[in-house]
Amino acid sequence: MLSKVSILAALISSVAGHMAMSEPCPRFSPNCANKPPLPAGVSDYDYSIKSPVPYDGPLMKSDIPWPESATTWTAGQPATVKFQPGGAAHGGGHCQFSISYDNGKTAAVVHEVLQHCFFSGASGSNGADIFEYTFPLPATMPSSDNALLIWTWVNAVGNRELYANSATLKIVGGSGNSYTGKQMTIANHAGYETIPEFSGNYATGMQLYTNAPNITITAPGSSGAGYTGEQVASASTIIVQPSAPAAPTSSAPAYNSATLASPTASATPVPVAPVYHARVAPIPAPPSKCA
């Protein structure tokens, strides 16, 4: 039986905090109707599931394998990610949805919503307008009983933070042994660049996303793993151009001095593009952030 403290914490986390996935149910979330069971050795759920990732902590709380997947996705078919209502959306920002086959050590983007995640355009609001994203899962995505969906978000307004949830997936119907896509972007985190507060300029930090190298991910038991510079990613991208600059609702210094220079007002917004071409030179693998 849940203690009164756990019940109260669950109620608080459902109405307070920032943004968090609800479907597929993220690891450690106490807020899903059908939660996968906790893995052996894990005693409780994360009642601060909506909080940002600790600046020097892992993107996931643990690398312990989970006993079952949260849902099943079919390669070549639409996939949907839903978010809990009532969270603070901090004026939007950059979101990515990535897939990993090695529990988060490497991850390739399958969909991204740049500049105005949770909104249809520029906004200084804390209340989100959009709580659901549907995108095509590439047909060549390898099948796996233990794939990992990772959602990451860099907020436009407020403290410079990184938000992330992950959910264990079963992927079926894949026609390929590997998938090549943009490497997942990490920012506002120890060892990575800090994206400044947007201050109405939604092109801020875009170069980290548009210049990301490609990575090839492979399900266990398949061949062809590693980085490549000769394939094209098939991630879908949404870039909503702002109709007018939005005034920030708060301001806070970056966590460290390793910040990016904000693009000038004359910077040309990046056009919508369904695919990204890889760099020619291979890029070394990043350190694991989920250990």
Side-chain angles (χ1 to χ4, degrees), residues 28 35 45 49-50 61 80 94 116 120 173 204 206-207 235 237 263 276:
F28 300 101
K35 298 185 289 290
Y45 293 96
I49 191 73
K50 291 184 176 182
K61 290 177 60 177
T80 298
H94 308 315
H116 305 294
S120 57
T204 301
M206 284 285 288
Q207 65 269 37
T237 302
Y276 285 91

Short mmCIF file of all heavy atoms in Angstrom, two decimals, residues 28 35 45 49-50 61 80 94 116 120 173 204 206-207 235 237 263 276:
data_model
loop_
_atom_site.label_atom_id
_atom_site.label_comp_id
_atom_site.label_asym_id
_atom_site.label_seq_id
_atom_site.Cartn_x
_atom_site.Cartn_y
_atom_site.Cartn_z
N PHE A 28 10.05 5.36 -14.57
CA PHE A 28 9.95 5.92 -13.23
C PHE A 28 8.76 6.85 -13.02
O PHE A 28 8.56 7.37 -11.94
CB PHE A 28 11.25 6.67 -12.82
CG PHE A 28 12.46 5.82 -12.82
CD1 PHE A 28 13.37 5.86 -13.85
CD2 PHE A 28 12.70 4.94 -11.77
CE1 PHE A 28 14.50 5.06 -13.85
CE2 PHE A 28 13.83 4.14 -11.75
CZ PHE A 28 14.73 4.19 -12.80
N LYS A 35 1.37 1.79 -15.81
CA LYS A 35 2.81 1.89 -15.60
C LYS A 35 3.47 0.53 -15.73
O LYS A 35 2.98 -0.46 -15.16
CB LYS A 35 3.12 2.45 -14.20
CG LYS A 35 2.60 3.85 -13.94
CD LYS A 35 3.05 4.36 -12.58
CE LYS A 35 2.35 3.65 -11.44
NZ LYS A 35 0.92 4.00 -11.36
N TYR A 45 8.88 5.16 -7.50
CA TYR A 45 8.80 5.96 -8.71
C TYR A 45 9.42 7.34 -8.49
O TYR A 45 9.74 7.73 -7.36
CB TYR A 45 7.34 6.09 -9.15
CG TYR A 45 6.75 4.78 -9.61
CD1 TYR A 45 5.99 3.99 -8.74
CD2 TYR A 45 6.94 4.32 -10.91
CE1 TYR A 45 5.46 2.78 -9.15
CE2 TYR A 45 6.41 3.12 -11.32
CZ TYR A 45 5.67 2.35 -10.45
OH TYR A 45 5.16 1.15 -10.86
N ILE A 49 9.19 13.77 -11.76
CA ILE A 49 9.39 13.40 -13.15
C ILE A 49 9.40 14.62 -14.07
O ILE A 49 10.01 14.60 -15.14
CB ILE A 49 8.31 12.39 -13.60
CG1 ILE A 49 8.64 11.77 -14.96
CG2 ILE A 49 6.93 13.03 -13.63
CD1 ILE A 49 9.76 10.78 -14.92
N LYS A 50 8.75 15.72 -13.67
CA LYS A 50 8.69 16.92 -14.49
C LYS A 50 9.88 17.87 -14.27
O LYS A 50 9.98 18.88 -14.95
CB LYS A 50 7.39 17.69 -14.22
CG LYS A 50 6.13 16.99 -14.71
CD LYS A 50 4.91 17.88 -14.49
CE LYS A 50 3.65 17.25 -15.05
NZ LYS A 50 2.47 18.14 -14.88
N LYS A 61 17.69 8.00 -14.72
CA LYS A 61 18.12 7.78 -13.34
C LYS A 61 18.97 6.53 -13.18
O LYS A 61 19.78 6.43 -12.25
CB LYS A 61 16.89 7.64 -12.43
CG LYS A 61 16.12 8.93 -12.23
CD LYS A 61 14.89 8.71 -11.39
CE LYS A 61 15.21 8.18 -10.02
NZ LYS A 61 13.99 8.04 -9.18
N THR A 80 2.93 8.17 -31.78
CA THR A 80 2.41 9.31 -31.05
C THR A 80 3.03 9.40 -29.66
O THR A 80 3.14 8.39 -28.96
CB THR A 80 0.88 9.23 -30.92
OG1 THR A 80 0.29 9.26 -32.22
CG2 THR A 80 0.33 10.40 -30.11
N HIS A 94 13.38 23.98 -28.04
CA HIS A 94 13.76 22.92 -28.97
C HIS A 94 13.51 21.54 -28.35
O HIS A 94 14.03 21.25 -27.27
CB HIS A 94 15.25 23.03 -29.33
CG HIS A 94 15.67 24.39 -29.82
ND1 HIS A 94 14.94 25.11 -30.74
CD2 HIS A 94 16.75 25.15 -29.51
CE1 HIS A 94 15.56 26.26 -30.99
NE2 HIS A 94 16.66 26.31 -30.25
N HIS A 116 9.62 26.19 -31.27
CA HIS A 116 8.35 26.41 -30.57
C HIS A 116 7.71 25.11 -30.08
O HIS A 116 6.51 24.88 -30.29
CB HIS A 116 7.38 27.15 -31.49
CG HIS A 116 7.94 28.43 -32.03
ND1 HIS A 116 8.21 29.52 -31.23
CD2 HIS A 116 8.30 28.79 -33.28
CE1 HIS A 116 8.70 30.49 -31.97
NE2 HIS A 116 8.77 30.08 -33.22
N SER A 120 2.26 26.69 -31.24
CA SER A 120 2.12 26.79 -32.69
C SER A 120 2.88 27.99 -33.25
O SER A 120 2.90 28.21 -34.45
CB SER A 120 0.64 26.90 -33.07
OG SER A 120 0.04 28.01 -32.41
N GLY A 173 8.19 -4.86 -37.07
CA GLY A 173 7.96 -4.58 -38.49
C GLY A 173 9.08 -3.86 -39.20
O GLY A 173 8.90 -3.43 -40.34
N THR A 204 17.95 31.04 -31.51
CA THR A 204 19.00 30.81 -30.53
C THR A 204 19.30 29.33 -30.38
O THR A 204 18.39 28.52 -30.15
CB THR A 204 18.59 31.39 -29.16
OG1 THR A 204 18.34 32.79 -29.30
CG2 THR A 204 19.68 31.18 -28.13
N MET A 206 20.09 27.18 -32.58
CA MET A 206 19.71 26.31 -33.70
C MET A 206 20.91 25.63 -34.35
O MET A 206 20.80 24.52 -34.88
CB MET A 206 18.94 27.13 -34.74
CG MET A 206 17.51 27.43 -34.35
SD MET A 206 16.43 25.98 -34.53
CE MET A 206 16.33 25.87 -36.31
N GLN A 207 22.09 26.29 -34.30
CA GLN A 207 23.24 25.71 -34.98
C GLN A 207 23.65 24.37 -34.36
O GLN A 207 24.20 23.50 -35.05
CB GLN A 207 24.43 26.68 -34.97
CG GLN A 207 24.99 27.00 -33.60
CD GLN A 207 24.34 28.23 -32.99
OE1 GLN A 207 23.13 28.45 -33.14
NE2 GLN A 207 25.14 29.02 -32.28
N ALA A 235 14.81 11.68 -40.31
CA ALA A 235 14.04 12.27 -39.22
C ALA A 235 13.13 13.36 -39.76
O ALA A 235 13.47 14.07 -40.70
CB ALA A 235 14.97 12.84 -38.17
N THR A 237 11.19 16.97 -39.22
CA THR A 237 11.49 18.20 -38.50
C THR A 237 10.36 19.19 -38.64
O THR A 237 9.80 19.35 -39.73
CB THR A 237 12.78 18.85 -39.05
OG1 THR A 237 13.86 17.92 -38.94
CG2 THR A 237 13.13 20.12 -38.29
N PRO A 263 22.35 34.19 -31.97
CA PRO A 263 22.35 34.69 -33.34
C PRO A 263 21.85 36.13 -33.38
O PRO A 263 21.03 36.54 -32.57
CB PRO A 263 21.37 33.75 -34.05
CG PRO A 263 21.34 32.52 -33.19
CD PRO A 263 21.54 33.02 -31.79
N TYR A 276 18.25 15.44 -43.37
CA TYR A 276 19.51 16.12 -43.16
C TYR A 276 20.62 15.27 -43.75
O TYR A 276 20.63 14.04 -43.57
CB TYR A 276 19.78 16.33 -41.67
CG TYR A 276 18.95 17.42 -41.06
CD1 TYR A 276 17.72 17.13 -40.50
CD2 TYR A 276 19.38 18.73 -41.08
CE1 TYR A 276 16.94 18.14 -39.95
CE2 TYR A 276 18.61 19.73 -40.54
CZ TYR A 276 17.39 19.44 -39.97
OH TYR A 276 16.62 20.43 -39.42
#
